[in-house]
Amino acid sequence: MVGIDQVLTKLATVIDPDLKKDIVSMGMIKDLELNDGNLKFTLELTTPACPFNDQIEQDVRRAINELDGIKISDIKVTAKVMEGRSLDADEAMSSVKNIIGVASGKGGVGKSTVSLNLALALAQSGAKVGLLDADIYGPSIPLMLGMQKAFMEVDNNKLQPVEMNGIQVVSFGFFAEQEHQAAIYRGPIISGILKQFLVDTNWSNLDYLVVDLPPGTGDIPLTLAQTIPITGILVVTTPQDVASNVATKAIGMFNKLNVPIIGVIENMSYFICPKCSDKHYVFGEGGAKRISEKFNIPFIGEIPLNSGIMEGSDKGKPVILSHPSSPSAEAIRMSAKNVAAQCSILAAKLKEEMQGATA
């Protein structure tokens, strides 16, 4: 008769493709029971957005089917996002497991569009997601979500995020008295506003907080990197050399600050002809891949150029909601899965480092 040890040994042959470790040592098998050939357990995946979730589940079921003596197998599949940053070192934001800064070397690469649709895609996967519009000078998220008239409330000295389409949203745009009012502040004030948005906001048990940073390497990216522990930075670029060359400066800055780079994603990669379905590389080709190879950082994905993205942003209808079956939406969903996978990898690395420090 097969025993629990044999079941665990068999399950340990299943390897998480991202983490390169077996699911038993990773603690992904929960509440295992075996009674008279009836097997029951929970498979707890590291994130609902992992691109290999289906593969892992299939490998687990295949492994169990190869065991003799198992009459019935009851496998429950869940997901619990790993903590990709040191929460002990950040008591003020202990309810946020991962903070993802979305940066770019220059403006005009669609960074806010990527941030918004990435947050929505992660939320659609089942994760709890927040979006912080950290561009104090030019907040665009309220317009892109059709929330220009929304406002944030304060409760017990805590800002209350505005909830929209399943995500918690904070933006300086909610405080502007007039739609075209300009924010005229010096660096220290800007940094103070960002700190308040981070630590004085009632973020409710988030798996991921996506922070849409302003372009460049100024006060706000520096404040984010130096104020709180973050999971890492996602760099957005476009195919042109001028964009990718400037993006490398942002990577260089975060490397100097010892902030992990989650990866690089390329926006406006190509245009798909609606008549012939051919790809046309309007702005060149391969900028993000060259950055990935040069700095040895993950290549997250390519998002095609689509008029629906621009139109949706202007009308408050993000493409992942307005055109969910479009190539752009599909590319964003795949990129979101890759981002989630990289967060899990960084979380596993952090866990190992913390265990090593206490050993």
Side-chain angles (χ1 to χ4, degrees):
M1 180 69 68
V2 66
I4 287 181
D5 288 343
Q6 290 172 283
V7 172
L8 289 174
T9 299
K10 189 65 176 178
L11 288 172
T13 63
V14 178
I15 306 298
D16 185 303
D18 282 320
L19 305 180
K20 312 299 182 186
K21 295 183 178 181
D22 71 88
I23 61 173
V24 175
S25 66
M26 285 297 300
M28 296 165 67
I29 303 300
K30 308 287 186 181
D31 305 322
L32 192 149
E33 298 177 8
L34 180 60
N35 296 305
D36 192 29
N38 296 326
L39 179 63
K40 181 180 179 180
F41 65 88
T42 297
L43 170 63
E44 187 179 81
L45 301 165
T46 60
T47 170
C50 177
F52 295 107
N53 280 355
D54 290 342
Q55 177 184 329
I56 294 173
E57 181 181 351
Q58 291 172 8
D59 290 345
V60 166
R61 295 187 183 279
R62 187 179 301 110
I64 294 302
N65 289 336
E66 292 175 356
L67 285 170
D68 294 328
I70 299 297
K71 300 175 183 176
I72 300 175
S73 59
D74 181 5
I75 305 173
K76 180 182 178 181
V77 182
T78 63
K80 181 180 179 181
V81 175
M82 300 175 68
E83 299 167 358
R85 61 195 204 92
S86 177
L87 300 189
D88 293 339
D90 186 18
E91 295 180 2
M93 296 187 68
S94 59
S95 64
V96 181
K97 292 182 178 179
N98 292 278
I99 297 179
I100 303 167
V102 183
S104 65
K106 63 184 292 293
V109 299
K111 175 184 49 56
S112 294
T113 299
V114 171
S115 298
L116 172 57
N117 283 281
L118 176 68
L120 291 169
L122 289 170
Q124 287 179 351
S125 75
K128 295 197 67 176
V129 182
L131 174 62
L132 171 55
D133 182 359
D135 193 342
I136 309 301
Y137 291 119
S140 57
I141 295 300
L143 171 64
M144 296 169 71
L145 274 172
M147 301 169 62
Q148 299 95 313
K149 296 183 179 180
F151 64 94
M152 294 174 58
E153 297 180 352
V154 179
D155 186 17
N156 292 327
N157 295 320
K158 284 281 190 177
L159 295 170
Q160 303 300 312
V162 178
E163 294 201 18
M164 184 74 169
N165 295 309
I167 60 176
Q168 301 174 33
V169 186
V170 169
S171 172
F172 189 72
F174 296 145
F175 295 94
E177 296 179 3
Q178 300 177 10
E179 183 177 353
H180 302 293
Q181 181 181 8
I184 306 174
Y185 299 117
R186 293 189 181 275
I189 296 178
I190 291 292
S191 296
I193 293 172
L194 176 61
K195 290 178 182 178
Q196 185 176 14
F197 281 170
L198 288 167
V199 304
D200 291 336
T201 296
N202 186 25
W203 301 110
S204 179
N205 299 318
L206 297 182
D207 294 317
Y208 305 100
L209 174 60
V210 178
V211 182
D212 178 24
L213 296 168
T217 54
D219 293 302
I220 292 181
L222 281 169
T223 299
L224 177 67
Q226 296 176 335
T227 301
I228 56 172
I230 67 175
T231 306
I233 297 293
L234 174 66
V235 178
V236 181
T237 187
T238 51
Q240 306 103 305
D241 288 339
V242 65
S244 56
N245 287 341
V246 177
T248 61
K249 294 182 179 180
I251 294 172
M253 181 190 78
F254 289 111
N255 282 339
K256 287 183 179 180
L257 296 171
N258 294 317
V259 176
I261 303 297
I262 291 172
V264 58
I265 184 170
E266 186 175 277
N267 193 28
M268 310 180 200
S269 293
Y270 51 85
F271 172 73
I272 300 177
C273 176
K275 293 184 178 180
C276 64
S277 298
D278 287 346
K279 290 183 179 181
H280 298 275
Y281 294 89
V282 182
F283 301 120
E285 185 176 357
K289 288 183 178 179
R290 287 192 292 272
I291 292 175
S292 172
E293 294 170 357
K294 178 179 180 180
F295 289 91
N296 192 28
I297 59 177
F299 173 69
I300 299 300
E302 296 174 331
I303 302 175
L305 186 65
N306 187 325
S307 60
I309 294 181
M310 179 185 67
E311 181 181 354
S313 297
D314 290 342
K315 295 183 178 180
K317 297 180 180 179
V319 68
I320 200 164
L321 300 178
S322 60
H323 297 84
S325 300
S326 66
S328 296
E330 292 176 0
I332 290 167
R333 280 192 293 270
M334 191 65 243
S335 296
K337 290 181 178 181
N338 290 336
V339 167
Q342 291 304 318
C343 287
S344 293
I345 292 171
L346 291 170
K349 182 180 178 181
L350 177 63
K351 184 178 180 180
E352 284 185 355
E353 291 174 351
M354 295 177 65
Q355 290 175 340
T358 57

